């Protein structure tokens, strides 16, 4: 309950006079309504607004005390306030305005009237809301002059993206029918539409750089991160649709093997804790090696005071890119793209054995490569060798089968026999198996009419360095284990892209414009910020669940509206959250989050009003 002032114009001069009411809020048809409990009049007896607020607080306290049967801990030290509070409280009881026990805190209700309605998921939404508050995103949006309602809509969409990733149309249905996200954020559920969600995504993208800078700084301060090592990689996702007017959507090399669809490229800079530092969106036909040049200048502006180490995938680690990093003042660590046949073992060092993340043996040793100041380390993996050997055997078998098919065609009546056509077929076969075809010699003897009479092939006996690759770095430390640990952080950016694509549903893209596509990807990145904020803290407490498992656990917590009729023929409507299960409670505790957005909200509707209101959809309003 709270105090509400109604102003009326009185007298010849039309002076505005305040009349006060004590009101209680409830929600009807998803619209906030106010029910007047008692009219308090002008309250001229009380000298200022603070006394009036204290009166409302005291009346509310008397009502709560009567409901629970517990002794009040609050008594006004102002005699007049206490007298008025007792007067109006007795008026409330006499008129049966709210559900107050007359003799006992225990009331009789009609058990046949008890009904549970509007059951919604609230656990994951409440968890995400507290993570966003922890990231202080609302402070940035307020600084950019966003209204309170617009901020609530942004929160609603970001939380929805992390909780139940889907299209804006499906998300709007989920919000209206399944989720309590609007109760958590305070955004009016009646205003949720797919167009509103489209619009807020674009508005968030407009201030993308400001958001990334804010979140990067906030997470560093929250978790005491130094960003000594940063990871750079890129991925692509595909469009469902022709995208004929798009400047971004291009045909390229799809990492999902969707070469029939146009692509868009997402480049990301991530620290070893998995937090995004910077992102950029490029055309779908941009090659891995050319992307770094486009992003390095922006990275340099964000560079920390201490020299940073950039960990790169082999596809990006071209000589030009490595030279660029040196010029910009970065150290780097990557897999060498060449040099496997041009090195010698450094006999002044010893071979070091480490374990990978699956507990399998990895052997490391420094090697010498002429005409370079970089450090190179040979990495031997028995497991990788077995895998590559199996793949090479499979490819060799398929390559030879292909050659036999071309050879068989020479003996058929309408088979391919002319030397030019035969080598076209052989060329296509080599293109299909490039890793193994280079180890074969192929001869095609012909007659005087350039008709191929036979195909002779033989596998060259060349030492294949299966399971062996080189790490390349500018770091001069003599500790090979440190080199390996730094390079292994690249797994974190792989995990980032996996979460974005699998858990946050970034693929495929159904949007038809470039701006909408960018906004879609950026919304996914905001969802990822939220996900990583939660998972980073949970991992520090020994909870290593993936995001989908966390969502499943938290979705066990619900909100429900219960209605019943008491002995005074009043309808009692209670909105409450269920208690979290043990696993959900452990997650809340590990994060130091509150376990419920609210415990119980109660509205009592007198008999004369319940006839005018559909009690089946009455939901108490949290803001009352």
């Amino acid at each position: 309950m709270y105090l509400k002032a109604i102003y009326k114009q009185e007298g010849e001069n039309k002076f505005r006079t305040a009349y006060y009411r004590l009101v209680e809020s409830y929600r009807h048809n998803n619209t906030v309504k106010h029910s007047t409990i008692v009219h308090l009049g002008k309250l001229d007896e009380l000298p200022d607004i603070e006394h009036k607020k204290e009166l409302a607080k005291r009346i509310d306290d008397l009502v709560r005390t009567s409901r629970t049967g517990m002794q009040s801990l609050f008594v006004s030290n102002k005699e007049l306030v206490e007298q008025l509070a007792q007067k109006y409280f007795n008026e409330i009881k006499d008129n049966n305005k709210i559900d107050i026990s007359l003799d006992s805190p225990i009331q009789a209700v009609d058990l046949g009237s008890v009904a549970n309605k509007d059951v919604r998921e609230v656990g994951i939404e409440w968890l995400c809301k507290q993570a966003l508050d922890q990231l202080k995103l609302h402070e940035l949006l307020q600084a950019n002059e966003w209204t309170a309602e617009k901020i609530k809509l942004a929160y609603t969409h970001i939380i929805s993206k992390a909780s139940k990733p889907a299209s804006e149309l499906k998300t709007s249905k989920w919000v209206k029918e399944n989720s309590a996200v609007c109760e958590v954020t305070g955004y009016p559920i009646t205003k949720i539409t797919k167009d509103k969600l489209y619009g807020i995504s674009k508005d968030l993208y407009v201030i993308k750089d400001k958001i990334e800078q804010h979140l990067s700084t906030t997470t560093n301060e929250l978790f005491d991160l130094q960003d000594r090592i940063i990871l750079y990689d890129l991925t692509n996702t595909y469009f469902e649709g022709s995208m004929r007017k798009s400047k971004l959507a291009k045909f390229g090399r799809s990492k999902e093997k969707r070469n029939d669809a146009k692509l868009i490229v997402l480049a990301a800079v991530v620290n070893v804790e998995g937090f995004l530092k910077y992102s950029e969106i490029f055309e779908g036909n941009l090659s891995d090696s050319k992307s770094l040049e486009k992003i390095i200048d922006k990275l340099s502006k964000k560079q920390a005071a201490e020299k940073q180490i950039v960990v790169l995938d082999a596809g990006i680690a071209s000589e030009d890119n490595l030279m660029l990093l040196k010029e910009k003042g970065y150290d780097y660590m990557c897999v060498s793209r060449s040099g496997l046949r041009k090195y010698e073992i450094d006999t002044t060092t010893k071979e070091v054995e480490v374990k990978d993340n699956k507990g399998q043996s990895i052997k490391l040793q420094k090697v010498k490569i002429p005409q370079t100041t970089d450090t190179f380390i040979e990495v031997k993996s028995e497991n990788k060798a077995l895998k590559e050997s199996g793949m090479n055997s499979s490819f060799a078998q398929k390559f030879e089968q292909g050659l036999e098919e071309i050879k068989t065609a020479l003996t058929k009546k309408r088979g391919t026999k002319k030397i030019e056509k035969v080598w076209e077929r052989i060329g296509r076969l080599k293109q299909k198996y490039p890793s193994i075809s280079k180890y074969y010699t192929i001869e095609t003897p012909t007659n005087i009419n350039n008709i191929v009479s036979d195909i002779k092939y033989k596998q060259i006996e060349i030492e294949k360095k299966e399971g062996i690759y080189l790490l390349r770095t500018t770091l001069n430390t003599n500790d090979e284990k440190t080199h390996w640990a730094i390079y292994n952080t690249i797994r974190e950016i792989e995990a980032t892209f996996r979460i974005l694509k699998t858990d946050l549903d970034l693929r495929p893209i159904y949007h038809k414009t470039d701006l909408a596509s960018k906004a879609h990807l950026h919304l996914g990145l905001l969802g990822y910020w939220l996900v990583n904020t939660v998972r980073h803290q949970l991992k520090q407490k020994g909870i290593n669940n993936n995001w989908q498992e966390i969502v499943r656990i938290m979705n066990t917590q619900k909100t429900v509206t219960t209605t019943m009729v008491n002995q005074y023929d009043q309808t009692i409507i209670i909105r409450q959250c269920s208690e979290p299960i043990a696993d959900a409670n452990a997650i809340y505790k590990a994060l130091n989050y509150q376990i419920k957005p609210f415990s119980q909200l109660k509205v009592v509707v007198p008999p004369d009003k319940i006839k005018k209101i559909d009690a089946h959809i009455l939901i108490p309003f949290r803001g009352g």
Side-chain angles (χ1 to χ4, degrees):
M1 288 184 290
Y2 63 96
L3 201 64
K4 182 176 181 180
I6 305 296
Y7 290 93
K8 297 182 180 180
Q9 292 182 341
E10 296 181 344
E12 295 180 358
N13 295 324
K14 301 294 184 181
F15 288 117
R16 293 175 78 242
T17 303
Y19 287 81
Y20 295 94
R21 300 175 183 177
L22 194 65
V23 301
E24 193 167 49
S25 298
Y26 61 91
R27 196 184 291 273
H28 171 232
N29 275 340
N30 295 313
T31 302
V32 177
K33 301 283 187 179
H34 298 137
S35 175
T36 299
I37 305 302
V38 64
H39 292 274
L40 302 175
K42 296 180 182 180
L43 291 180
D44 290 336
E45 309 97 309
L46 301 178
D48 54 42
I49 189 62
E50 294 304 320
H51 284 72
K52 296 177 175 67
K53 288 181 178 178
E54 187 171 341
L55 172 63
K57 183 178 178 182
R58 178 57 178 147
I59 296 172
D60 183 65
D61 184 70
L62 289 169
V63 170
R64 291 178 186 274
T65 301
S66 179
R67 283 172 169 169
T68 61
M70 297 176 64
Q71 184 176 358
S72 173
L73 298 178
F74 168 72
V75 177
S76 176
N77 58 6
K78 300 178 180 65
E79 184 178 350
L80 181 57
V81 170
E82 184 67 24
Q83 289 176 359
L84 290 172
Q86 295 291 343
K87 170 190 170 184
Y88 289 117
F89 173 63
N90 289 327
E91 184 179 328
I92 291 170
K93 286 197 299 182
D94 293 341
N95 294 326
N96 289 328
K97 296 296 291 184
I98 56 176
D99 182 20
I100 295 177
S101 171
L102 299 179
D103 301 308
S104 167
I106 301 174
Q107 298 181 54
V109 297
D110 178 4
L111 293 180
S113 70
V114 177
N116 292 320
K117 304 176 179 67
D118 199 39
V119 180
R120 291 171 177 263
E121 296 167 352
V122 75
I124 190 62
E125 293 86 344
W126 179 229
L127 185 84
C128 292
K129 167 63 164 55
Q130 294 183 88
L132 280 182
D133 287 342
Q134 196 176 12
L135 293 171
K136 302 177 183 177
L137 182 60
H138 61 283
E139 293 183 7
L140 173 72
L141 299 179
Q142 285 173 347
N144 281 271
E145 299 182 350
W146 281 37
T147 64
E149 184 170 291
K150 190 174 179 181
I151 293 173
K152 291 175 182 177
L153 177 59
Y155 265 49
T156 300
H157 201 10
I158 295 169
I159 292 170
S160 299
K161 186 65 175 178
S163 305
K164 184 74 173 179
S167 67
E168 279 73 9
L169 178 60
K170 290 182 179 178
T171 296
S172 64
K173 292 180 179 178
W174 175 75
V175 169
K176 290 180 177 181
E177 298 173 6
N178 301 91
S179 173
V181 63
C182 282
E183 290 182 70
V184 167
T185 63
Y187 187 78
I189 196 170
T190 53
K191 293 186 177 181
I192 289 289
T193 64
K194 64 179 180 63
D195 293 329
K196 287 268 189 178
L197 299 179
Y198 278 128
I200 201 65
S201 295
K202 293 175 182 177
D203 290 342
L204 286 165
Y205 180 73
V206 169
I207 57 172
K208 167 185 171 293
D209 289 344
K210 291 181 180 180
I211 292 176
E212 285 184 344
Q213 182 62 46
H214 168 82
L215 294 176
S216 176
T217 302
T218 302
T219 50
N220 281 5
E221 292 173 352
L222 274 174
F223 308 120
D224 193 24
L225 309 179
Q226 302 300 320
D227 292 347
R228 178 73 179 88
I229 302 171
I230 57 175
L231 322 171
Y232 177 70
D233 203 356
L234 67 165
T235 189
N236 54 39
T237 186
Y238 60 93
F239 290 90
E240 289 290 2
S242 61
M243 297 297 290
R244 292 185 183 133
K245 297 180 180 179
S246 172
K247 294 181 180 179
L248 284 174
K250 306 287 183 183
F251 286 107
R253 183 174 172 272
S254 171
K255 301 197 176 188
E256 283 95 27
K257 310 300 182 186
R258 283 297 304 269
N259 297 322
D260 60 315
K262 289 185 177 180
L263 311 174
I264 190 171
V265 169
L266 173 64
V269 179
V270 178
N271 66 12
V272 293
E273 289 81 12
F275 288 103
L276 282 163
K277 299 284 103 181
Y278 183 73
S279 66
E280 191 63 81
I281 297 168
F282 296 118
E283 295 87 349
N285 59 356
L286 183 74
S287 66
D288 287 5
S289 60
K290 291 182 179 179
S291 64
L292 184 63
E293 185 177 357
K294 294 178 178 289
I295 206 170
I296 194 66
D297 289 335
K298 293 181 180 179
L299 277 177
S300 297
K301 294 177 183 178
K302 303 172 184 291
Q303 186 170 348
E306 188 178 359
K307 193 174 184 181
Q308 290 177 310
I309 304 167
V310 181
V311 183
L312 304 166
D313 185 77
I316 305 171
S318 66
E319 289 295 331
D320 288 343
N321 281 343
L322 298 183
M323 183 63 68
L324 182 64
L325 286 171
K326 284 183 180 179
E327 291 173 357
K328 296 293 183 179
Y330 291 95
D331 281 318
Y332 56 76
M333 171 73 72
C334 63
V335 173
S336 177
R337 299 177 70 176
S338 60
L340 281 175
R341 300 178 187 176
K342 303 175 185 177
Y343 68 86
E344 296 178 356
I345 298 295
D346 186 350
T347 55
T348 63
T349 63
K350 294 182 179 180
E351 187 177 73
V352 177
E353 184 174 358
V354 296
K355 301 291 184 181
D356 64 11
N357 57 349
K358 295 181 179 179
Q360 295 165 337
S361 176
I362 302 286
K363 295 180 180 179
L364 310 170
Q365 187 161 17
K366 281 190 177 180
V367 298
K368 296 179 180 178
I369 293 183
Q371 298 179 342
T372 180
T373 59
D374 286 354
T375 298
F376 288 81
I377 298 172
E378 181 189 65
V379 182
K380 292 181 182 177
S381 169
E382 293 182 6
N383 187 58
K384 186 177 176 66
L386 290 171
K387 182 179 178 180
E388 289 181 359
S389 177
M391 290 175 61
N392 288 334
S393 296
S394 176
F395 289 155
Q397 182 179 354
K398 291 176 181 178
F399 184 70
E400 290 182 9
Q401 285 176 352
L403 290 174
E404 286 296 325
E405 289 176 5
I406 298 171
K407 183 176 180 179
T408 302
L410 301 177
T411 60
K412 293 183 179 179
K413 184 176 181 180
R414 295 185 179 180
T416 302
K417 301 181 182 67
K418 288 189 176 182
I419 183 107
E420 296 86 356
K421 296 297 182 182
V422 169
W423 273 106
E424 280 183 15
R425 292 190 65 183
I426 293 173
R428 286 195 293 270
L429 189 63
K430 283 186 170 185
Q431 190 177 28
K432 191 173 181 180
Y433 301 104
S435 63
I436 198 67
S437 62
K438 60 186 177 183
Y439 296 112
Y440 281 81
T441 59
I442 303 172
E443 296 178 4
T444 52
T446 59
N447 60 22
I448 57 174
N449 296 321
N450 283 329
I451 300 298
V452 178
S453 58
D454 194 8
I455 294 179
K456 299 177 181 179
Y457 57 89
K458 183 179 180 182
Q459 191 172 13
I460 306 170
E461 293 296 328
I462 297 178
E463 180 186 5
K464 303 185 189 73
K465 297 194 175 183
E466 294 169 338
I468 298 176
Y469 57 95
L470 295 183
L471 295 183
R472 179 177 180 178
T473 180
T474 52
L475 299 175
N476 293 319
T477 176
N478 292 321
D479 187 355
E480 285 83 358
K481 290 184 179 180
T482 299
H483 287 122
W484 173 251
I486 291 172
Y487 174 69
N488 239 11
T489 58
I490 196 104
R491 311 292 175 227
E492 195 61 51
I493 200 164
E494 294 171 355
T496 297
F497 288 142
R498 186 165 57 250
I499 290 172
L500 283 168
K501 289 185 174 182
T502 304
D503 295 349
L504 299 178
D505 200 31
L506 281 197
R507 62 180 178 189
I509 299 175
Y510 294 95
H511 298 282
K512 297 180 181 180
T513 67
D514 285 349
L515 177 58
S517 301
K518 290 178 179 179
H520 165 77
L521 291 175
H522 180 240
L523 183 70
L525 293 177
L526 290 177
Y528 174 76
W529 273 103
L530 193 158
V531 169
N532 202 60
T533 298
V534 171
R535 293 192 69 231
H536 173 73
Q537 295 174 91
L538 291 179
K539 283 187 281 187
Q540 290 181 323
K541 297 296 179 66
I543 300 176
N544 296 303
N545 294 335
N546 61 38
W547 182 245
Q548 290 181 343
E549 178 65 6
I550 292 170
V551 172
R552 184 197 67 78
I553 291 170
M554 300 312 299
N555 276 342
T556 59
Q557 190 177 24
K558 315 288 185 182
T559 58
V560 60
T561 297
T562 303
T563 64
M564 63 194 78
V565 178
N566 67 7
Q567 71 264 41
Y568 308 115
D569 204 27
Q570 297 169 323
T571 300
I572 304 171
I573 306 171
I574 300 173
R575 184 70 168 168
Q576 59 186 348
C577 295
S578 66
E579 295 294 326
I581 63 172
D583 286 345
N585 198 58
I587 289 173
Y588 280 131
K589 185 177 180 181
L591 295 167
N592 198 26
Y593 287 173
Q594 295 181 23
I595 64 172
K596 295 179 183 179
F598 56 90
S599 295
Q600 187 183 91
L601 304 169
K602 185 175 179 181
V603 171
V604 180
V605 184
D608 59 326
K609 288 197 174 184
I610 200 66
K611 295 176 182 178
K612 302 175 183 178
I613 298 174
D614 181 3
H616 293 272
I617 49 176
L618 256 167
I619 303 173
F621 174 52
R622 289 183 63 238

